[in-house]
Amino acid sequence: MAKFIFDLDGTITKEETLPKIASHFNLQDKIDNLTKETIKGNIPFIESFIRRIHILSQVNISEISNLLENTTLYTKLLDFIHTNPQHCIIATQNLSCYIDKLLQKIGCCYYSSSAITKDDKVVKIKEILKKENIVKHYKDLGEKVVFIGDGNNDVEAMRLANISIASGLTHTPANSVLSIADYLVLSEEALCRQLNQLL
């Protein structure tokens, strides 16, 4: 059976988490443009990520965590994960301290970036997850890996996966993703159907 590795933002969630944080805490002017340019591929993800986290570091971790816990999820996709938790994995470059509560609701194994924290604030990024390393880990264990994503930061993981699915549920996948994907899905129903066929 396959291991399904999902991107989080815009794939399982119906909204991107960083813009959600920015809007709630009135930081959208600083973050929105960074996010858009990163999705388009005009700013390298790592550079953008570091800059965005620096902006968010003024906000308490607990406030961000509580906000993201209530992020809207794709319910049919969530049902698939709840039915097949041992086959589902999330690989996200979001900081674990921000998304732990949200990921607990999703209920499967996950890998994320991490940070050094102090007094409920992010002090420094400790590690930025490389999604392709997660794909490699499971392939090295002899698993057939299916990666589902939509952004430029998913490309290397999708390239390495046995099967890659470009998800167009929230927004149009990046051109780099479309150029290497084995499948393109544009609705939650189509994605769940595809996942069940590959199970």
mmCIF file of all heavy atoms in Angstrom, residues 37-78:
data_model
loop_
_atom_site.group_PDB
_atom_site.id
_atom_site.type_symbol
_atom_site.label_atom_id
_atom_site.label_comp_id
_atom_site.label_asym_id
_atom_site.label_seq_id
_atom_site.Cartn_x
_atom_site.Cartn_y
_atom_site.Cartn_z
ATOM 1 N N GLU A 37 4.530 36.490 -4.073
ATOM 2 C CA GLU A 37 5.745 36.385 -4.889
ATOM 3 C C GLU A 37 6.421 35.026 -4.700
ATOM 4 O O GLU A 37 7.038 34.504 -5.620
ATOM 5 C CB GLU A 37 6.715 37.526 -4.551
ATOM 6 C CG GLU A 37 6.216 38.898 -4.977
ATOM 7 C CD GLU A 37 5.921 38.961 -6.470
ATOM 8 O OE1 GLU A 37 6.810 38.637 -7.266
ATOM 9 O OE2 GLU A 37 4.777 39.320 -6.829
ATOM 10 N N THR A 38 6.277 34.460 -3.508
ATOM 11 C CA THR A 38 6.857 33.136 -3.250
ATOM 12 C C THR A 38 6.077 32.066 -3.997
ATOM 13 O O THR A 38 6.676 31.180 -4.621
ATOM 14 C CB THR A 38 6.847 32.844 -1.736
ATOM 15 O OG1 THR A 38 7.528 33.896 -1.058
ATOM 16 C CG2 THR A 38 7.533 31.522 -1.438
ATOM 17 N N ILE A 39 4.756 32.136 -3.946
ATOM 18 C CA ILE A 39 3.912 31.164 -4.661
ATOM 19 C C ILE A 39 4.202 31.212 -6.152
ATOM 20 O O ILE A 39 4.262 30.177 -6.834
ATOM 21 C CB ILE A 39 2.411 31.421 -4.361
ATOM 22 C CG1 ILE A 39 2.092 31.044 -2.908
ATOM 23 C CG2 ILE A 39 1.521 30.627 -5.316
ATOM 24 C CD1 ILE A 39 0.716 31.459 -2.442
ATOM 25 N N LYS A 40 4.421 32.416 -6.675
ATOM 26 C CA LYS A 40 4.733 32.573 -8.102
ATOM 27 C C LYS A 40 6.136 32.083 -8.443
ATOM 28 O O LYS A 40 6.461 31.879 -9.609
ATOM 29 C CB LYS A 40 4.623 34.049 -8.502
ATOM 30 C CG LYS A 40 3.209 34.587 -8.528
ATOM 31 C CD LYS A 40 3.245 36.071 -8.882
ATOM 32 C CE LYS A 40 1.876 36.702 -8.808
ATOM 33 N NZ LYS A 40 1.951 38.165 -9.024
ATOM 34 N N GLY A 41 6.984 31.943 -7.441
ATOM 35 C CA GLY A 41 8.360 31.511 -7.673
ATOM 36 C C GLY A 41 9.340 32.645 -7.882
ATOM 37 O O GLY A 41 10.485 32.423 -8.271
ATOM 38 N N ASN A 42 8.919 33.874 -7.592
ATOM 39 C CA ASN A 42 9.792 35.038 -7.798
ATOM 40 C C ASN A 42 10.760 35.277 -6.640
ATOM 41 O O ASN A 42 11.772 35.961 -6.807
ATOM 42 C CB ASN A 42 8.952 36.297 -8.023
ATOM 43 C CG ASN A 42 8.129 36.201 -9.299
ATOM 44 O OD1 ASN A 42 8.510 35.509 -10.235
ATOM 45 N ND2 ASN A 42 6.997 36.874 -9.326
ATOM 46 N N ILE A 43 10.424 34.748 -5.464
ATOM 47 C CA ILE A 43 11.313 34.847 -4.304
ATOM 48 C C ILE A 43 11.570 33.420 -3.819
ATOM 49 O O ILE A 43 10.623 32.652 -3.646
ATOM 50 C CB ILE A 43 10.680 35.675 -3.164
ATOM 51 C CG1 ILE A 43 10.411 37.114 -3.616
ATOM 52 C CG2 ILE A 43 11.575 35.682 -1.925
ATOM 53 C CD1 ILE A 43 9.695 37.960 -2.582
ATOM 54 N N PRO A 44 12.824 33.039 -3.609
ATOM 55 C CA PRO A 44 13.112 31.685 -3.106
ATOM 56 C C PRO A 44 12.380 31.432 -1.800
ATOM 57 O O PRO A 44 12.294 32.316 -0.945
ATOM 58 C CB PRO A 44 14.630 31.696 -2.899
ATOM 59 C CG PRO A 44 15.137 32.794 -3.777
ATOM 60 C CD PRO A 44 14.051 33.829 -3.817
ATOM 61 N N PHE A 45 11.857 30.213 -1.660
ATOM 62 C CA PHE A 45 11.036 29.905 -0.490
ATOM 63 C C PHE A 45 11.782 30.144 0.814
ATOM 64 O O PHE A 45 11.232 30.726 1.757
ATOM 65 C CB PHE A 45 10.535 28.452 -0.529
ATOM 66 C CG PHE A 45 9.747 28.104 0.691
ATOM 67 C CD1 PHE A 45 8.406 28.436 0.797
ATOM 68 C CD2 PHE A 45 10.357 27.499 1.780
ATOM 69 C CE1 PHE A 45 7.687 28.157 1.950
ATOM 70 C CE2 PHE A 45 9.649 27.216 2.937
ATOM 71 C CZ PHE A 45 8.311 27.540 3.008
ATOM 72 N N ILE A 46 13.016 29.674 0.904
ATOM 73 C CA ILE A 46 13.755 29.785 2.165
ATOM 74 C C ILE A 46 13.900 31.246 2.581
ATOM 75 O O ILE A 46 13.662 31.612 3.738
ATOM 76 C CB ILE A 46 15.143 29.117 2.059
ATOM 77 C CG1 ILE A 46 14.998 27.625 1.714
ATOM 78 C CG2 ILE A 46 15.925 29.305 3.353
ATOM 79 C CD1 ILE A 46 14.259 26.814 2.749
ATOM 80 N N GLU A 47 14.267 32.096 1.637
ATOM 81 C CA GLU A 47 14.409 33.528 1.932
ATOM 82 C C GLU A 47 13.082 34.116 2.407
ATOM 83 O O GLU A 47 13.010 34.841 3.413
ATOM 84 C CB GLU A 47 14.894 34.278 0.691
ATOM 85 C CG GLU A 47 14.975 35.785 0.876
ATOM 86 C CD GLU A 47 15.230 36.544 -0.420
ATOM 87 O OE1 GLU A 47 15.776 35.946 -1.366
ATOM 88 O OE2 GLU A 47 14.867 37.728 -0.484
ATOM 89 N N SER A 48 12.024 33.797 1.677
ATOM 90 C CA SER A 48 10.703 34.305 2.024
ATOM 91 C C SER A 48 10.254 33.795 3.387
ATOM 92 O O SER A 48 9.712 34.549 4.207
ATOM 93 C CB SER A 48 9.695 33.892 0.949
ATOM 94 O OG SER A 48 8.389 34.199 1.346
ATOM 95 N N PHE A 49 10.487 32.521 3.636
ATOM 96 C CA PHE A 49 10.079 31.910 4.901
ATOM 97 C C PHE A 49 10.747 32.612 6.081
ATOM 98 O O PHE A 49 10.090 32.984 7.057
ATOM 99 C CB PHE A 49 10.443 30.420 4.883
ATOM 100 C CG PHE A 49 10.028 29.670 6.119
ATOM 101 C CD1 PHE A 49 8.714 29.247 6.277
ATOM 102 C CD2 PHE A 49 10.943 29.382 7.121
ATOM 103 C CE1 PHE A 49 8.328 28.550 7.409
ATOM 104 C CE2 PHE A 49 10.571 28.689 8.251
ATOM 105 C CZ PHE A 49 9.258 28.270 8.398
ATOM 106 N N ILE A 50 12.047 32.818 5.985
ATOM 107 C CA ILE A 50 12.788 33.475 7.071
ATOM 108 C C ILE A 50 12.264 34.891 7.294
ATOM 109 O O ILE A 50 12.053 35.322 8.437
ATOM 110 C CB ILE A 50 14.297 33.486 6.755
ATOM 111 C CG1 ILE A 50 14.846 32.052 6.801
ATOM 112 C CG2 ILE A 50 15.051 34.380 7.741
ATOM 113 C CD1 ILE A 50 16.253 31.913 6.246
ATOM 114 N N ARG A 51 12.012 35.606 6.220
ATOM 115 C CA ARG A 51 11.508 36.980 6.337
ATOM 116 C C ARG A 51 10.109 37.006 6.952
ATOM 117 O O ARG A 51 9.799 37.869 7.799
ATOM 118 C CB ARG A 51 11.517 37.662 4.965
ATOM 119 C CG ARG A 51 12.933 38.016 4.493
ATOM 120 C CD ARG A 51 13.010 38.338 3.022
ATOM 121 N NE ARG A 51 12.221 39.495 2.637
ATOM 122 C CZ ARG A 51 12.082 39.902 1.389
ATOM 123 N NH1 ARG A 51 12.686 39.247 0.391
ATOM 124 N NH2 ARG A 51 11.349 40.964 1.096
ATOM 125 N N ARG A 52 9.257 36.070 6.549
ATOM 126 C CA ARG A 52 7.893 36.038 7.086
ATOM 127 C C ARG A 52 7.879 35.666 8.565
ATOM 128 O O ARG A 52 7.142 36.257 9.357
ATOM 129 C CB ARG A 52 7.026 35.083 6.267
ATOM 130 C CG ARG A 52 6.659 35.659 4.890
ATOM 131 C CD ARG A 52 5.771 34.728 4.105
ATOM 132 N NE ARG A 52 6.504 33.581 3.594
ATOM 133 C CZ ARG A 52 5.943 32.558 2.953
ATOM 134 N NH1 ARG A 52 4.643 32.535 2.755
ATOM 135 N NH2 ARG A 52 6.670 31.562 2.505
ATOM 136 N N ILE A 53 8.699 34.689 8.948
ATOM 137 C CA ILE A 53 8.755 34.293 10.357
ATOM 138 C C ILE A 53 9.308 35.430 11.211
ATOM 139 O O ILE A 53 8.853 35.662 12.337
ATOM 140 C CB ILE A 53 9.600 33.009 10.534
ATOM 141 C CG1 ILE A 53 8.912 31.818 9.847
ATOM 142 C CG2 ILE A 53 9.832 32.710 12.013
ATOM 143 C CD1 ILE A 53 7.508 31.507 10.336
ATOM 144 N N HIS A 54 10.265 36.174 10.674
ATOM 145 C CA HIS A 54 10.793 37.333 11.413
ATOM 146 C C HIS A 54 9.674 38.341 11.692
ATOM 147 O O HIS A 54 9.580 38.886 12.802
ATOM 148 C CB HIS A 54 11.919 37.998 10.620
ATOM 149 C CG HIS A 54 12.444 39.239 11.272
ATOM 150 N ND1 HIS A 54 13.200 39.210 12.429
ATOM 151 C CD2 HIS A 54 12.285 40.558 10.952
ATOM 152 C CE1 HIS A 54 13.491 40.445 12.785
ATOM 153 N NE2 HIS A 54 12.953 41.282 11.911
ATOM 154 N N ILE A 55 8.816 38.568 10.704
ATOM 155 C CA ILE A 55 7.685 39.493 10.890
ATOM 156 C C ILE A 55 6.730 38.953 11.961
ATOM 157 O O ILE A 55 6.253 39.695 12.832
ATOM 158 C CB ILE A 55 6.930 39.708 9.561
ATOM 159 C CG1 ILE A 55 7.823 40.464 8.560
ATOM 160 C CG2 ILE A 55 5.627 40.470 9.792
ATOM 161 C CD1 ILE A 55 7.308 40.438 7.133
ATOM 162 N N LEU A 56 6.465 37.640 11.931
ATOM 163 C CA LEU A 56 5.507 37.041 12.861
ATOM 164 C C LEU A 56 6.065 36.881 14.271
ATOM 165 O O LEU A 56 5.295 36.669 15.212
ATOM 166 C CB LEU A 56 5.066 35.663 12.346
ATOM 167 C CG LEU A 56 4.295 35.641 11.025
ATOM 168 C CD1 LEU A 56 3.952 34.218 10.641
ATOM 169 C CD2 LEU A 56 3.028 36.484 11.124
ATOM 170 N N SER A 57 7.379 36.993 14.421
ATOM 171 C CA SER A 57 7.996 36.726 15.720
ATOM 172 C C SER A 57 7.575 37.723 16.801
ATOM 173 O O SER A 57 7.782 37.478 17.986
ATOM 174 C CB SER A 57 9.524 36.713 15.589
ATOM 175 O OG SER A 57 10.013 37.994 15.211
ATOM 176 N N GLN A 58 6.942 38.822 16.396
ATOM 177 C CA GLN A 58 6.456 39.789 17.390
ATOM 178 C C GLN A 58 5.156 39.331 18.051
ATOM 179 O O GLN A 58 4.739 39.896 19.059
ATOM 180 C CB GLN A 58 6.245 41.157 16.720
ATOM 181 C CG GLN A 58 5.184 41.155 15.635
ATOM 182 C CD GLN A 58 5.141 42.447 14.848
ATOM 183 O OE1 GLN A 58 4.533 43.411 15.274
ATOM 184 N NE2 GLN A 58 5.810 42.464 13.705
ATOM 185 N N VAL A 59 4.515 38.291 17.460
ATOM 186 C CA VAL A 59 3.229 37.802 17.981
ATOM 187 C C VAL A 59 3.474 36.591 18.878
ATOM 188 O O VAL A 59 4.341 35.759 18.612
ATOM 189 C CB VAL A 59 2.292 37.405 16.818
ATOM 190 C CG1 VAL A 59 0.948 36.910 17.352
ATOM 191 C CG2 VAL A 59 2.103 38.575 15.860
ATOM 192 N N ASN A 60 2.693 36.456 19.952
ATOM 193 C CA ASN A 60 2.809 35.302 20.844
ATOM 194 C C ASN A 60 2.495 34.002 20.108
ATOM 195 O O ASN A 60 1.513 33.924 19.358
ATOM 196 C CB ASN A 60 1.862 35.438 22.045
ATOM 197 C CG ASN A 60 2.321 36.481 23.034
ATOM 198 O OD1 ASN A 60 3.487 36.878 23.050
ATOM 199 N ND2 ASN A 60 1.402 36.931 23.870
ATOM 200 N N ILE A 61 3.308 32.987 20.353
ATOM 201 C CA ILE A 61 3.101 31.669 19.744
ATOM 202 C C ILE A 61 1.722 31.129 20.101
ATOM 203 O O ILE A 61 1.020 30.583 19.251
ATOM 204 C CB ILE A 61 4.202 30.688 20.213
ATOM 205 C CG1 ILE A 61 5.566 31.114 19.664
ATOM 206 C CG2 ILE A 61 3.876 29.251 19.804
ATOM 207 C CD1 ILE A 61 6.734 30.399 20.304
ATOM 208 N N SER A 62 1.329 31.251 21.359
ATOM 209 C CA SER A 62 0.044 30.700 21.808
ATOM 210 C C SER A 62 -1.128 31.329 21.056
ATOM 211 O O SER A 62 -2.106 30.641 20.739
ATOM 212 C CB SER A 62 -0.128 30.903 23.311
ATOM 213 O OG SER A 62 -0.006 32.273 23.652
ATOM 214 N N GLU A 63 -1.037 32.612 20.745
ATOM 215 C CA GLU A 63 -2.110 33.277 20.004
ATOM 216 C C GLU A 63 -2.197 32.739 18.576
ATOM 217 O O GLU A 63 -3.290 32.520 18.054
ATOM 218 C CB GLU A 63 -1.886 34.785 19.984
ATOM 219 C CG GLU A 63 -2.019 35.466 21.334
ATOM 220 C CD GLU A 63 -1.814 36.965 21.228
ATOM 221 O OE1 GLU A 63 -2.703 37.642 20.661
ATOM 222 O OE2 GLU A 63 -0.772 37.462 21.682
ATOM 223 N N ILE A 64 -1.049 32.538 17.954
ATOM 224 C CA ILE A 64 -1.025 31.996 16.586
ATOM 225 C C ILE A 64 -1.539 30.559 16.593
ATOM 226 O O ILE A 64 -2.346 30.168 15.736
ATOM 227 C CB ILE A 64 0.394 32.071 15.998
ATOM 228 C CG1 ILE A 64 0.798 33.533 15.795
ATOM 229 C CG2 ILE A 64 0.482 31.292 14.683
ATOM 230 C CD1 ILE A 64 2.225 33.735 15.328
ATOM 231 N N SER A 65 -1.089 29.765 17.545
ATOM 232 C CA SER A 65 -1.508 28.369 17.646
ATOM 233 C C SER A 65 -3.019 28.247 17.816
ATOM 234 O O SER A 65 -3.679 27.427 17.168
ATOM 235 C CB SER A 65 -0.780 27.697 18.812
ATOM 236 O OG SER A 65 -1.210 26.372 18.974
ATOM 237 N N ASN A 66 -3.575 29.077 18.688
ATOM 238 C CA ASN A 66 -5.025 29.046 18.915
ATOM 239 C C ASN A 66 -5.794 29.476 17.675
ATOM 240 O O ASN A 66 -6.863 28.930 17.366
ATOM 241 C CB ASN A 66 -5.394 29.946 20.096
ATOM 242 C CG ASN A 66 -4.922 29.379 21.419
ATOM 243 O OD1 ASN A 66 -4.709 28.177 21.554
ATOM 244 N ND2 ASN A 66 -4.736 30.251 22.406
ATOM 245 N N LEU A 67 -5.275 30.450 16.947
ATOM 246 C CA LEU A 67 -5.914 30.898 15.712
ATOM 247 C C LEU A 67 -5.909 29.788 14.669
ATOM 248 O O LEU A 67 -6.941 29.497 14.059
ATOM 249 C CB LEU A 67 -5.182 32.128 15.170
ATOM 250 C CG LEU A 67 -5.631 32.633 13.798
ATOM 251 C CD1 LEU A 67 -7.035 33.250 13.893
ATOM 252 C CD2 LEU A 67 -4.630 33.654 13.246
ATOM 253 N N LEU A 68 -4.758 29.158 14.479
ATOM 254 C CA LEU A 68 -4.627 28.149 13.416
ATOM 255 C C LEU A 68 -5.349 26.848 13.743
ATOM 256 O O LEU A 68 -5.691 26.086 12.833
ATOM 257 C CB LEU A 68 -3.155 27.872 13.130
ATOM 258 C CG LEU A 68 -2.361 29.032 12.533
ATOM 259 C CD1 LEU A 68 -0.956 28.583 12.160
ATOM 260 C CD2 LEU A 68 -3.068 29.627 11.310
ATOM 261 N N GLU A 69 -5.599 26.604 15.014
ATOM 262 C CA GLU A 69 -6.331 25.395 15.401
ATOM 263 C C GLU A 69 -7.691 25.335 14.715
ATOM 264 O O GLU A 69 -8.220 24.263 14.423
ATOM 265 C CB GLU A 69 -6.499 25.351 16.921
ATOM 266 C CG GLU A 69 -7.176 24.092 17.422
ATOM 267 C CD GLU A 69 -7.354 24.076 18.932
ATOM 268 O OE1 GLU A 69 -7.126 25.132 19.577
ATOM 269 O OE2 GLU A 69 -7.726 23.020 19.459
ATOM 270 N N ASN A 70 -8.246 26.499 14.406
ATOM 271 C CA ASN A 70 -9.578 26.574 13.802
ATOM 272 C C ASN A 70 -9.542 26.832 12.292
ATOM 273 O O ASN A 70 -10.538 27.263 11.707
ATOM 274 C CB ASN A 70 -10.403 27.658 14.503
ATOM 275 C CG ASN A 70 -10.617 27.340 15.976
ATOM 276 O OD1 ASN A 70 -11.064 26.252 16.306
ATOM 277 N ND2 ASN A 70 -10.276 28.258 16.861
ATOM 278 N N THR A 71 -8.414 26.565 11.667
ATOM 279 C CA THR A 71 -8.303 26.717 10.224
ATOM 280 C C THR A 71 -9.252 25.742 9.527
ATOM 281 O O THR A 71 -9.363 24.581 9.919
ATOM 282 C CB THR A 71 -6.855 26.436 9.761
ATOM 283 O OG1 THR A 71 -5.982 27.363 10.417
ATOM 284 C CG2 THR A 71 -6.711 26.586 8.257
ATOM 285 N N THR A 72 -9.952 26.227 8.504
ATOM 286 C CA THR A 72 -10.913 25.396 7.784
ATOM 287 C C THR A 72 -10.189 24.340 6.960
ATOM 288 O O THR A 72 -9.240 24.641 6.228
ATOM 289 C CB THR A 72 -11.788 26.265 6.854
ATOM 290 O OG1 THR A 72 -12.359 27.323 7.614
ATOM 291 C CG2 THR A 72 -12.891 25.434 6.225
ATOM 292 N N LEU A 73 -10.649 23.093 7.088
ATOM 293 C CA LEU A 73 -10.045 21.958 6.393
ATOM 294 C C LEU A 73 -10.998 21.394 5.358
ATOM 295 O O LEU A 73 -12.218 21.578 5.444
ATOM 296 C CB LEU A 73 -9.686 20.862 7.403
ATOM 297 C CG LEU A 73 -8.801 21.281 8.583
ATOM 298 C CD1 LEU A 73 -8.712 20.146 9.599
ATOM 299 C CD2 LEU A 73 -7.416 21.666 8.098
ATOM 300 N N TYR A 74 -10.446 20.708 4.380
ATOM 301 C CA TYR A 74 -11.265 19.984 3.406
ATOM 302 C C TYR A 74 -11.793 18.721 4.087
ATOM 303 O O TYR A 74 -11.023 17.813 4.414
ATOM 304 C CB TYR A 74 -10.453 19.645 2.159
ATOM 305 C CG TYR A 74 -10.227 20.843 1.268
ATOM 306 C CD1 TYR A 74 -9.006 21.497 1.242
ATOM 307 C CD2 TYR A 74 -11.258 21.334 0.464
ATOM 308 C CE1 TYR A 74 -8.799 22.612 0.432
ATOM 309 C CE2 TYR A 74 -11.067 22.451 -0.347
ATOM 310 C CZ TYR A 74 -9.829 23.082 -0.355
ATOM 311 O OH TYR A 74 -9.644 24.184 -1.154
ATOM 312 N N THR A 75 -13.093 18.665 4.314
ATOM 313 C CA THR A 75 -13.670 17.621 5.167
ATOM 314 C C THR A 75 -13.586 16.218 4.553
ATOM 315 O O THR A 75 -13.346 15.249 5.268
ATOM 316 C CB THR A 75 -15.142 17.947 5.498
ATOM 317 O OG1 THR A 75 -15.870 18.155 4.281
ATOM 318 C CG2 THR A 75 -15.231 19.202 6.351
ATOM 319 N N LYS A 76 -13.781 16.105 3.259
ATOM 320 C CA LYS A 76 -13.696 14.776 2.626
ATOM 321 C C LYS A 76 -12.258 14.261 2.673
ATOM 322 O O LYS A 76 -12.019 13.069 2.890
ATOM 323 C CB LYS A 76 -14.204 14.824 1.183
ATOM 324 C CG LYS A 76 -15.702 15.067 1.055
ATOM 325 C CD LYS A 76 -16.134 15.067 -0.399
ATOM 326 C CE LYS A 76 -17.645 15.229 -0.541
ATOM 327 N NZ LYS A 76 -18.081 16.565 -0.099
ATOM 328 N N LEU A 77 -11.325 15.151 2.479
ATOM 329 C CA LEU A 77 -9.914 14.781 2.558
ATOM 330 C C LEU A 77 -9.551 14.404 3.993
ATOM 331 O O LEU A 77 -8.814 13.436 4.233
ATOM 332 C CB LEU A 77 -9.047 15.932 2.060
ATOM 333 C CG LEU A 77 -7.555 15.666 1.882
ATOM 334 C CD1 LEU A 77 -7.306 14.451 1.003
ATOM 335 C CD2 LEU A 77 -6.882 16.893 1.285
ATOM 336 N N LEU A 78 -10.089 15.146 4.945
ATOM 337 C CA LEU A 78 -9.866 14.835 6.361
ATOM 338 C C LEU A 78 -10.436 13.461 6.695
ATOM 339 O O LEU A 78 -9.813 12.683 7.425
ATOM 340 C CB LEU A 78 -10.505 15.914 7.235
ATOM 341 C CG LEU A 78 -10.179 15.875 8.726
ATOM 342 C CD1 LEU A 78 -8.682 16.036 8.968
ATOM 343 C CD2 LEU A 78 -10.953 16.962 9.457
#
